[in-house]
PDB file of all heavy atoms in Angstrom:
ATOM      1  N   SER A  38      15.462  27.084  21.922  1.00  0.00           N
ATOM      2  CA  SER A  38      15.395  26.252  20.717  1.00  0.00           C
ATOM      3  C   SER A  38      15.240  27.169  19.518  1.00  0.00           C
ATOM      4  O   SER A  38      14.800  28.313  19.646  1.00  0.00           O
ATOM      5  CB  SER A  38      14.229  25.267  20.799  1.00  0.00           C
ATOM      6  OG  SER A  38      13.007  25.956  20.875  1.00  0.00           O
ATOM      7  N   LYS A  39      15.624  26.656  18.355  1.00  0.00           N
ATOM      8  CA  LYS A  39      15.572  27.465  17.138  1.00  0.00           C
ATOM      9  C   LYS A  39      15.187  26.582  15.963  1.00  0.00           C
ATOM     10  O   LYS A  39      15.710  25.475  15.825  1.00  0.00           O
ATOM     11  CB  LYS A  39      16.932  28.107  16.868  1.00  0.00           C
ATOM     12  CG  LYS A  39      16.986  28.940  15.605  1.00  0.00           C
ATOM     13  CD  LYS A  39      18.360  29.481  15.346  1.00  0.00           C
ATOM     14  CE  LYS A  39      18.343  30.240  14.034  1.00  0.00           C
ATOM     15  NZ  LYS A  39      19.675  30.551  13.565  1.00  0.00           N
ATOM     16  N   LEU A  40      14.288  27.081  15.126  1.00  0.00           N
ATOM     17  CA  LEU A  40      13.954  26.390  13.886  1.00  0.00           C
ATOM     18  C   LEU A  40      15.017  26.739  12.864  1.00  0.00           C
ATOM     19  O   LEU A  40      15.129  27.875  12.424  1.00  0.00           O
ATOM     20  CB  LEU A  40      12.574  26.821  13.377  1.00  0.00           C
ATOM     21  CG  LEU A  40      12.145  26.245  12.029  1.00  0.00           C
ATOM     22  CD1 LEU A  40      12.059  24.723  12.086  1.00  0.00           C
ATOM     23  CD2 LEU A  40      10.799  26.834  11.608  1.00  0.00           C
ATOM     24  N   ASP A  41      15.848  25.752  12.517  1.00  0.00           N
ATOM     25  CA  ASP A  41      16.924  25.975  11.551  1.00  0.00           C
ATOM     26  C   ASP A  41      16.456  25.847  10.118  1.00  0.00           C
ATOM     27  O   ASP A  41      17.073  26.382   9.209  1.00  0.00           O
ATOM     28  CB  ASP A  41      18.070  24.989  11.777  1.00  0.00           C
ATOM     29  CG  ASP A  41      18.999  25.432  12.891  1.00  0.00           C
ATOM     30  OD1 ASP A  41      18.962  26.611  13.284  1.00  0.00           O
ATOM     31  OD2 ASP A  41      19.777  24.581  13.351  1.00  0.00           O
ATOM     32  N   GLY A  42      15.398  25.108   9.894  1.00  0.00           N
ATOM     33  CA  GLY A  42      14.916  24.937   8.534  1.00  0.00           C
ATOM     34  C   GLY A  42      14.172  23.635   8.364  1.00  0.00           C
ATOM     35  O   GLY A  42      13.645  23.066   9.325  1.00  0.00           O
ATOM     36  N   PHE A  43      14.161  23.154   7.124  1.00  0.00           N
ATOM     37  CA  PHE A  43      13.435  21.953   6.775  1.00  0.00           C
ATOM     38  C   PHE A  43      14.297  21.109   5.845  1.00  0.00           C
ATOM     39  O   PHE A  43      15.067  21.642   5.056  1.00  0.00           O
ATOM     40  CB  PHE A  43      12.121  22.305   6.076  1.00  0.00           C
ATOM     41  CG  PHE A  43      11.203  23.118   6.928  1.00  0.00           C
ATOM     42  CD1 PHE A  43      11.271  24.499   6.921  1.00  0.00           C
ATOM     43  CD2 PHE A  43      10.282  22.501   7.761  1.00  0.00           C
ATOM     44  CE1 PHE A  43      10.439  25.260   7.716  1.00  0.00           C
ATOM     45  CE2 PHE A  43       9.448  23.254   8.565  1.00  0.00           C
ATOM     46  CZ  PHE A  43       9.524  24.630   8.543  1.00  0.00           C
ATOM     47  N   ALA A  44      14.155  19.810   5.938  1.00  0.00           N
ATOM     48  CA  ALA A  44      14.867  18.900   5.064  1.00  0.00           C
ATOM     49  C   ALA A  44      13.844  18.219   4.154  1.00  0.00           C
ATOM     50  O   ALA A  44      12.825  17.721   4.624  1.00  0.00           O
ATOM     51  CB  ALA A  44      15.614  17.847   5.874  1.00  0.00           C
ATOM     52  N   LEU A  45      14.112  18.248   2.865  1.00  0.00           N
ATOM     53  CA  LEU A  45      13.311  17.528   1.874  1.00  0.00           C
ATOM     54  C   LEU A  45      14.144  16.371   1.361  1.00  0.00           C
ATOM     55  O   LEU A  45      15.312  16.551   1.021  1.00  0.00           O
ATOM     56  CB  LEU A  45      12.975  18.439   0.689  1.00  0.00           C
ATOM     57  CG  LEU A  45      11.920  19.501   0.875  1.00  0.00           C
ATOM     58  CD1 LEU A  45      11.901  20.408  -0.353  1.00  0.00           C
ATOM     59  CD2 LEU A  45      10.564  18.874   1.057  1.00  0.00           C
ATOM     60  N   ARG A  46      13.554  15.184   1.295  1.00  0.00           N
ATOM     61  CA  ARG A  46      14.247  14.020   0.757  1.00  0.00           C
ATOM     62  C   ARG A  46      13.340  13.370  -0.277  1.00  0.00           C
ATOM     63  O   ARG A  46      12.181  13.093  -0.021  1.00  0.00           O
ATOM     64  CB  ARG A  46      14.549  13.013   1.860  1.00  0.00           C
ATOM     65  CG  ARG A  46      15.562  13.497   2.849  1.00  0.00           C
ATOM     66  CD  ARG A  46      15.730  12.555   4.025  1.00  0.00           C
ATOM     67  NE  ARG A  46      15.870  11.171   3.633  1.00  0.00           N
ATOM     68  CZ  ARG A  46      15.249  10.162   4.269  1.00  0.00           C
ATOM     69  NH1 ARG A  46      14.439  10.397   5.269  1.00  0.00           N
ATOM     70  NH2 ARG A  46      15.455   8.915   3.874  1.00  0.00           N
TER      71      ARG A  46
END
Side-chain angles (χ1 to χ4, degrees):
S38 62
K39 179 183 177 192
L40 176 62
D41 278 344
F43 299 89
L45 285 172
R46 292 173 47 223

